[in-house]
Each structure stands twice: as C-alpha cells, then as structure tokens.
Amino acid sequence: MKFEYILFCFSIIFSFSSSSLGKDEDRLFYDAVRAEASGDLDQAITFYLQASKLSHSSNLHGNLANLYFKKEQFGHSILHFRKALLLQPNNKQLSANLDFAHEMAKTPPISKNLASSYFSGNTLSFWCVFCVLIFWTGLLLLIYLFFFRANKIPLLYCTLGWFLVGGVVGYATRLSFIANSELSREVIAFLPSEENNQSKTISLRRFAGEKNSANTTLLPGQSLIIDLGKDGMNKTHRSPEGKNWYLARSKDGKKKGWILEDEFGWLIDPKSNS
Amino acid sequence: MGINHLRIPNYFSLKLWVFLFFTTSTLFFTKEVKGQKLRVESSFQPPSITISNNSVYKIVIHGSQENPQGSLPQIPGLSISNSPQTFRSASFINGVPSVRLEMSFQIKPKKLGTHTIPSWPIQVGSNNLQVPPCSIQVVAPNQQDKIKQEIEGKQEQDLRQASFIEFINPREFLFEGETVSGLLNLFIWDRLPVSRIERPPQKEGDAFSLTELRQPQEKRNQTKFNKTYTVFSWPTGLTAAIAGQQTIQFNTSIRVRVKSRGNSPFASPFFNDPFFGFGREESLTVKSDSINIEVKALPMVDRPDSFQGAIGIFSCRSVSDSDRVSLGDPVRLIFEIEGKGNFSAMPAPLLNSGNNFKIGPPAFSFEGNEITMYEGKQSFEYILTPLKAGLVSIPAISFSYFDPIQEKYFTSKTRAHPLRVDPGETWVDPTPIKQQLKTSTYSIPTTDLFQTENEPGEWVQDVKTHIILDSKIFWSVQTFPFFFACGLGFYGWKRKQSGRDLFRQKQANLKKQMKESITFKDPSLFFRATRERLRLEIGTFYKYPNPSSLSSHELTQLLQNGSNTESTISEIQKILSISDDHEFAGTLKDTQSLDDLYKHINKLLKQIQ
C-alpha cells in the first residue's frame, strides 16, 4: 500500500513537470498567431522570435518565415524556411514556400539533384548505419568462411565483394559527413536593417573591416559556408569595435570574403554544435 | 365648231343664273338677319325617359349660325356626349328672314330622378348669352327595359368573355424594385373570327415596368367559362417602380371579321353570323381587369452598405482563371450571381483591390431566360492587371441583396483568391535557368502557399540535426558484433585445432576421390574410397577410437547396435561386400553406375542413427 502511494505521488510530479515543459514557448506561439490574425505582423514576429529563443519547432520557423516573406524581407524568410525544413525535411509545403521565396529574392534555390539529396547532411545517420551493417556482416561472413568451410573459393569472392561494397558505402558516408559539416557552418545572408529594398546587397569584404572594399556582393537570401581555420574552428576575426567577422564563401566557391556577424543568420546555432 | 360655239353660252347662262340667285339670297339673309335679335333655347327631347333609354339635350340659337363657344356643365346623374350634332337652318317667317343653329347632345341617364342642367354661359361671336336651365325626368324602367338590359348585359359579358387578358402574378404584394416572373395570357374564344393579333399586350400605368414581350406560346382547346379558347401566353418580368397601392391593366387589339348586316339579333356584330368569313375586318380592343398590387418600400433598417438594389434570392461565387501570373499579365476574375430576382436592375459589384491591381470595367453576361431576366445566372467578368510582384490577394467581393420572402437583407461574400505574381523575366546565366525551371515545378498550388500553422507542433531544443555518430547507444551497440566476431574467430581457431576438423578434411578428401573416380571411370579407386569413407563416417558416428581399422563385419555390428533399419543395414552391407569383392576378387558384379551409387551412399550415410 505504501509502495503504491509513493508510485502515485511520483507519477503526479512527473506529469506536472512534463506538462510544464514548453509552456512559455506555447504561450508566445499562440500570442504570435493571434497578433498575426489581427494584422499586427511586427508584433507577431517579435513573439515568434522570443519563442525561438526558448525552443524550436518547424511550425514556429515556418510561420516566422511566412511573416518575413509578407514583409518582403526575403533573406530572413529563406533563413527560417531552411530552419523549418531542417526540423521537418519532408514537408512539401515548406519546400514550395522556400522555392517561391528564392524566386522572389532572385537567389538560386537549393539544388535538388540526385547527389545532393542522397548524400545530404540529413542522410549521414542512414549511411553510418548502412556502413556499420556492411562492415560487421562482411566480417562475420569472412570469419565463418575462413574457419568453418573447407572450400576457400567462396571466401575469395566474399572478400572481394566486401571490399567493393564497403568502399562505396564508405564513400557515400564521407560525402554525407562533409555535407553535414558544411550544413553546421551554413549561414544565410540578409540585410541587417528592416529595409525592404530588394536592390540592396550585402558585401563580402576583402579584409575584416567595415570600410574595406567589397570583394563581391550577395543578394539577401544567398547561402554561405563559413570557412574553417587551421584549428578546425570557424575562421573569425574580432575588430577593435568589438564586431565579429567571419570568413565565408558561397557553396560553389565563386564568392568569398569577410562578412559581419549581423549580416547573416546561422542555420544551426554554433552554440548548439559546440 | 359652230354648234359648240352656240351651246356654250346657253349652258353658261343657266349656271350663272343659279349662282346669282344663291348669292343674292345669302346676301339678303345676311343683311336682313343683322337686325334679328339673338336668343337661346334649351330642351330635352323627350323630357321624360326610363333609365334604359336615351334622350337628346338640344340647344337652339336664333339669329346666328356661328359656332358658339362655351363649356357644358356636367351633371352627376347624366352622361352627356361630347360630340354634338350641329344643324344650321334659314327661313322666312311671315316674310321676315330668320337663321338658327341647333346643337344636339346625346344624354344617357345614370340614375332615377329629375336632373336639371343649370343655366350656363355661351358666346356667339362677340355676344355673351345664357343658356336657360332645362330639366329631364328619369323614371323607373318598365318590363321591356329590363329585358333589354338583360340582353345587353349578356351581350356585354359575352363580348368580354369572347376575348380577354389575364395576368398571373405570383405575389400578393411587391417591394419597390422587385421583379417577379408573371404570365400574360390572351384568351380568344374559338368562335370569335380573329384574323390576327395586331400587337402584344401593353400595360397601362407607370407604376410598373415590363420586360419586352416576344413571340407568344400558343395553347389550343383551353376551357374556361364553359367556352373553348385558344390562349396566347407571354412570359414577362414585372418590376415594381413606385411604392404605394398601384393598379395595372393590360390591353391589346385584335383584328376580327364582322358581318356586314346591321340588323343582327344582338347589338354585337360578331355572333351568330354563319357568313362571317365574307364580312369586313375591324379592330377590337381587348383589356384585362384592373389588378391592384401593393408595392412596399424597401426597409431602411439593417440595410448593408454594399446593397445596390438586388432583390431576390441569390447565391454568388467568384472564379479566377489563374493563380500564378507574371507581373503585368492580366487575370480574369468572374463573379457569378445565380438565383431568382431583378437581374435586369443589378449593377456590377464594386471590387476594391487597393494598389495591387488595375481593374477594368466588367463585362456582363446573362444565362437564363433573357426575356424575363428573372431566373438565371448573371456573370460579371473583371480583368485585373497586377501592379506588383509577390503573393497578393484578389479581394473578396461582398454582394448584398434583399430577400422579399423573408423580408431581410443578406450579404454574401466570396472568398479571396491568392495570386502568385512572378517578378517577370530577368537575364540570368542560362545553365542555372534549367535547374531553376526544374526545381520550381512543384505540385502545391499557390492557394496553399504561406499558410499559417495554428499549433506549435513538436518542440525541440536545437535546430541541429542529430547524427547517429554522436549517440552513445550507437557505439555501445557496436560492441555486440565486435564480441561476436571475436568469439566466432576464437571458436573457429580452436575448432580447427580439434579432430573434428581432421575428420572433415578426411571426409572431404574421400568425397573428392570418389568424384574423381567417377569422372575418370575408375571403379577400383571408387570402391576403395567408398569403403574408407564408410569406415570413417560410421566409426566416427559411433565414436569408435580407430575407424580405419574396422572390418566389414565390425561395421555391420556397429550399425546393428544403433537404431538403424534393416534395409539401411543390408544396403550398407551390400556396398561393403561389393567393395570387398572388387578389391580382393577384382570383379564387378553390380552393373549399377558409379554416379548413382555415389548418390545412394550419400543418402545411406545420412540415414545412420
């Protein structure tokens, strides 16, 4: 009887604590939806951003991206669509919205060729599991053939097959790993102010300095990969004014330069990676 | 020529004398009557009548033949005709010339009693005269009058029933501006010799408007009032224009053939004439009864701002022909109103689009009964040209109408149409263009883009994608196959060291020898290997320490000690015997092929228990 009473108390405490999780972000989310419904887009964006500091959800970033799109801030819109897609990769509506946002921003959309979809960062776990399966299955088969079968010809064939399949799967895993690594360093460029001027561009400077001449320019919504330093960390520079600069290049490698921290948004917050 | 010349003066002289006589007489009378005193007399002829008879009100002006001027007073109990008969005369009375003018007015009494036309002024030339008062006595009708009245009444009723107009109005009262679908029926009695209908019915009165009447529908053998009619029907839309208690009447004219004889037994010339076909044609006016309809004003309470005069029962919808266009390309928006009501008085609803579109004037089209314009579908086609790129919305259209049945205003609103406006053509590198085109063809329609989610969904702490390599479970799980592989390898190595492996090697060698002997058709090698294999496998099975030393007899005993069947034992004995014979006697008694024997031995060895 005593044991049952203790169990009941524990279950009450557990259910209370689990229901209290996400309470604040839920409230902020619903406040944002209400503000959007009443036509106050700026207030809705503020609520969504506050919620996103507490926690993340695909719907939150999708709604936020929609609002930015309506305010014609395409850079922010693309950034949040990408975040929403990271949380819900198979959502076709988000993909369609992102494509349209890219079209409006006149920026190239995410390439959807065979290689990028099968060896993307999202597929890394799949390739890892597949690679492990091939390794252990092949190894066990070889041990069996070597010790328990007198005929050595199957052993020869299995060894060759194992190396071949293992090599292919290993390569796929490596591609996926690189893509994942780039994804963790991918940023989306946007205009730091709330101006909606579509003709405005973002400069990639030759050196980490605001008055420095631009190497090249970007449109809001274009994606960049932050370069790695020799220590394997993101290549950054802190200016005397206290501003953080990052060395970034476009995915195709054609554009490269220093970009200010305020001029881009991380797809994946580097703090969560560390 | 000479004869003619003589006759002309004679003829001329006769005419001349007649002319001179009349001219002289006229001048004489005119000259003489100037001295005659003007006076006026009035009288009824006869002065006493029954109510079914007529009388004549006669005015005689002595001393002038000029047309008088004046206004005849109206008497409530009498009906006086407006077109008098006028008679002028001149005479000599006791050698004194006299002229006079007689005017006769037809009088029809309306009620019994004595009716007096009072004295009234009249002007003859420059002289003002007073017509003296005059009375007529109207007495009760006698029996003959009553019969005559009945006959006339019947004739009138017959004439009225011979052809008449009937208007079928579905509503007891109307609202101002409301349209109803009515039916105008012209009944023509089959015995009435009508040659044609001169014109469609026309309404009398301005309180209603009527749609155009086109070709009527004809129905024959319609019975009413115990008579057979041909009915011509015109569907029409009747719209109330002025509020209040209103009256409407319809009339038309038809062409009928009438007999030429004037002495018909009835006063009407149409009936009982077997030779009507040979008569003359006359126009006959046909009228409907006066219809009283109450027209109510539309209520001002709860009248919506978007109400533009539509009265009826409607439903509306809007259709856009595209949900994705390039900047500057037109979009067609069709707004359709379907139902029953005053379509003819329905203006196009206002479309307020702000600064997003340029809107042209709408085109109208109506599907349904275009004669009555009462029931059907009215379409307004707007052409909208987007002025800015992005995801814009074609606004919803509000349409308000008054329902005359429920006597309430209703407002119906269509849905807004999201429209994706592409920014238009810009030059880009042709290589990525292909890619862009490929990627932008997604299946989700524009209407489904940028929808707000109302629920937050699943919360996660980070946007970071979770890789399995970071998972400790993943690495922990790897220990299982690792240990399994290690174990398997160790077991294999140990096994290789033990005799079982030796047995398998020997067994494999003996099998190999048997196969080779079959290939090279070497029976001695085959049976030697067979006997060795039987020793090895049976001895090993029964765990005999030295199987290679077993004789055929000992092998049989081992088999008998086990739980083998007699047939298996005898088969193995037979094979052992053949092997011994072949080895020691060098003869092959059995003709069975080596391949079959090999298979048979394999089968037997599997049956050992």
Side-chain angles (χ1 to χ4, degrees), chain B residues 146-173:
Chain B
K146 286 179 180 173
I147 294 167
K148 193 178 170 186
Q149 270 183 347
E150 282 176 12
I151 292 168
E152 281 179 355
K154 191 172 182 310
Q155 281 177 355
E156 201 174 311
Q157 189 184 5
D158 280 345
L159 189 63
R160 219 170 33 242
Q161 289 181 356
S163 182
F164 60 94
I165 295 173
E166 185 183 69
F167 177 66
I168 299 169
N169 179 19
R171 299 252 297 139
E172 290 178 5
F173 64 87

Side-chain angles (χ1 to χ4, degrees), chain A residues 22 25-26 29-30 33 36 48 51 54-57 59-61 63 66 69-70 72 81 83 86-87 92-93 96-97 99-100 103-104 106-112 122 124-125 128-129 132 136 139-140 143-144 146-148 152 177 180 183 267-268 272-273, chain B residues 324 388-391 420-423 426 429 432 435-436 439-440 442-444 446 448-469 474 478-479 481-486 488-493 495-496 501 504 508:
Chain A
E25 48 266 41
D26 274 344
F29 184 91
Y30 291 127
V33 171
E36 186 184 348
Y48 279 131
L54 299 173
S55 194
H56 301 269
S57 85
N59 291 350
L60 181 145
H61 286 291
N63 285 0
N66 287 346
F69 183 87
K70 285 170 187 169
E72 298 184 6
F81 276 132
K83 285 188 176 191
L86 281 176
L87 295 168
K92 287 183 181 174
Q93 193 186 35
N97 290 347
D99 284 345
F100 187 37
E103 204 168 330
M104 291 304 299
K106 297 175 183 172
T107 53
I110 308 167
S111 60
K112 290 176 181 171
N122 293 331
L124 177 61
S125 295
C128 285
V129 170
V132 163
W136 287 121
L139 186 67
L140 290 169
I143 290 170
Y144 171 75
F146 182 77
F147 288 114
F148 299 92
K152 299 299 176 193
F177 185 81
N180 187 269
L183 185 68
L267 275 185
I268 299 167
S272 68
N273 274 333
Chain B
R324 182 180 178 179
K388 64 181 238 187
L391 193 75
R420 175 180 163 175
V421 184
D422 292 333
T426 48
D429 192 8
Q435 204 177 29
Q436 273 188 343
T439 53
S440 62
Y442 42 78
S443 58
I444 293 178
T446 306
D448 295 338
L449 287 175
F450 304 105
Q451 296 181 65
T452 302
E453 296 287 347
N454 294 318
E455 293 296 329
E458 189 188 350
W459 291 108
V460 291
Q461 210 55 44
D462 304 313
V463 183
K464 181 186 176 185
T465 53
H466 295 281
I467 314 165
I468 204 164
L469 295 175
F474 174 76
Q478 302 311 309
T479 54
F482 173 75
F483 285 120
F484 185 66
C486 290
L488 190 70
F490 181 73
Y491 175 70
W493 177 75
R495 193 171 177 275
K496 212 160 189 169
D501 189 62
R504 288 195 180 277

Side-chain angles (χ1 to χ4, degrees), chain A residues 129-198:
Chain A
V129 170
F130 195 38
C131 191
V132 163
L133 275 175
I134 294 291
F135 175 78
W136 287 121
T137 312
L139 186 67
L140 290 169
L141 185 68
L142 291 181
I143 290 170
Y144 171 75
L145 290 174
F146 182 77
F147 288 114
F148 299 92
R149 303 294 290 185
N151 198 347
K152 299 299 176 193
I153 294 172
L155 179 68
L156 181 67
Y157 287 133
C158 284
T159 309
L160 286 173
W162 186 55
F163 274 112
L164 194 66
V165 176
V168 170
V169 174
Y171 181 68
T173 310
R174 183 177 174 274
L175 287 179
S176 183
F177 185 81
I178 292 167
N180 187 269
S181 168
E182 284 187 348
L183 185 68
S184 65
R185 291 180 285 122
E186 189 171 350
V187 296
I188 304 292
F190 54 67
L191 292 168
S193 62
E194 292 184 352
E195 291 174 32
N196 301 333
N197 191 352
Q198 289 181 40

Side-chain angles (χ1 to χ4, degrees), chain B residues 67-78:
Chain B
N67 283 330
Q69 290 183 348
S71 179
L72 190 63
Q74 294 294 317
I75 308 301
L78 298 175

Side-chain angles (χ1 to χ4, degrees), chain A residues 10-248:
Chain A
F10 267 110
S11 64
I12 293 283
I13 292 162
F14 179 74
S15 62
F16 177 76
S17 61
S18 62
S19 64
S20 65
L21 282 175
K23 197 177 175 185
D24 287 340
E25 48 266 41
D26 274 344
R27 182 181 55 76
L28 287 166
F29 184 91
Y30 291 127
D31 286 347
V33 171
R34 272 194 291 276
E36 186 184 348
S38 64
D40 193 349
L41 302 188
D42 292 325
Q43 185 64 48
I45 288 172
T46 309
F47 281 135
Y48 279 131
L49 288 175
Q50 284 174 7
S52 71
K53 283 175 186 168
L54 299 173
S55 194
H56 301 269
S57 85
S58 172
N59 291 350
L60 181 145
H61 286 291
N63 285 0
L64 191 52
N66 287 346
L67 290 177
Y68 276 125
F69 183 87
K70 285 170 187 169
K71 289 181 71 64
E72 298 184 6
Q73 295 178 21
F74 300 124
H76 287 88
S77 179
I78 288 167
L79 171 69
H80 288 283
F81 276 132
R82 289 289 305 277
K83 285 188 176 191
L85 273 169
L86 281 176
L87 295 168
Q88 210 176 344
N90 297 323
N91 191 319
K92 287 183 181 174
Q93 193 186 35
L94 288 172
S95 299
N97 290 347
L98 177 63
D99 284 345
F100 187 37
H102 271 299
E103 204 168 330
M104 291 304 299
K106 297 175 183 172
T107 53
I110 308 167
S111 60
K112 290 176 181 171
N113 55 25
L114 201 67
S116 64
S117 56
Y118 282 101
F119 308 122
S120 68
N122 293 331
T123 59
L124 177 61
S125 295
F126 166 78
W127 287 116
C128 285
V129 170
F130 195 38
C131 191
V132 163
L133 275 175
I134 294 291
F135 175 78
W136 287 121
T137 312
L139 186 67
L140 290 169
L141 185 68
L142 291 181
I143 290 170
Y144 171 75
L145 290 174
F146 182 77
F147 288 114
F148 299 92
R149 303 294 290 185
N151 198 347
K152 299 299 176 193
I153 294 172
L155 179 68
L156 181 67
Y157 287 133
C158 284
T159 309
L160 286 173
W162 186 55
F163 274 112
L164 194 66
V165 176
V168 170
V169 174
Y171 181 68
T173 310
R174 183 177 174 274
L175 287 179
S176 183
F177 185 81
I178 292 167
N180 187 269
S181 168
E182 284 187 348
L183 185 68
S184 65
R185 291 180 285 122
E186 189 171 350
V187 296
I188 304 292
F190 54 67
L191 292 168
S193 62
E194 292 184 352
E195 291 174 32
N196 301 333
N197 191 352
Q198 289 181 40
S199 64
K200 272 207 167 181
T201 53
I202 300 131
S203 300
L204 286 179
R205 281 85 166 186
R206 288 193 173 88
F207 300 100
E210 217 161 343
K211 291 174 184 176
N212 221 286
S213 60
N215 229 1
T216 182
T217 55
L218 294 170
L219 284 170
Q222 274 190 285
S223 78
L224 296 167
I225 309 291
I226 302 295
D227 270 8
L228 289 174
K230 287 176 184 174
D231 54 354
M233 302 297 287
N234 294 329
K235 197 161 187 177
T236 59
H237 172 75
R238 193 172 180 84
S239 67
E241 296 87 23
K243 290 181 176 177
N244 284 328
W245 291 83
Y246 286 82
L247 183 62

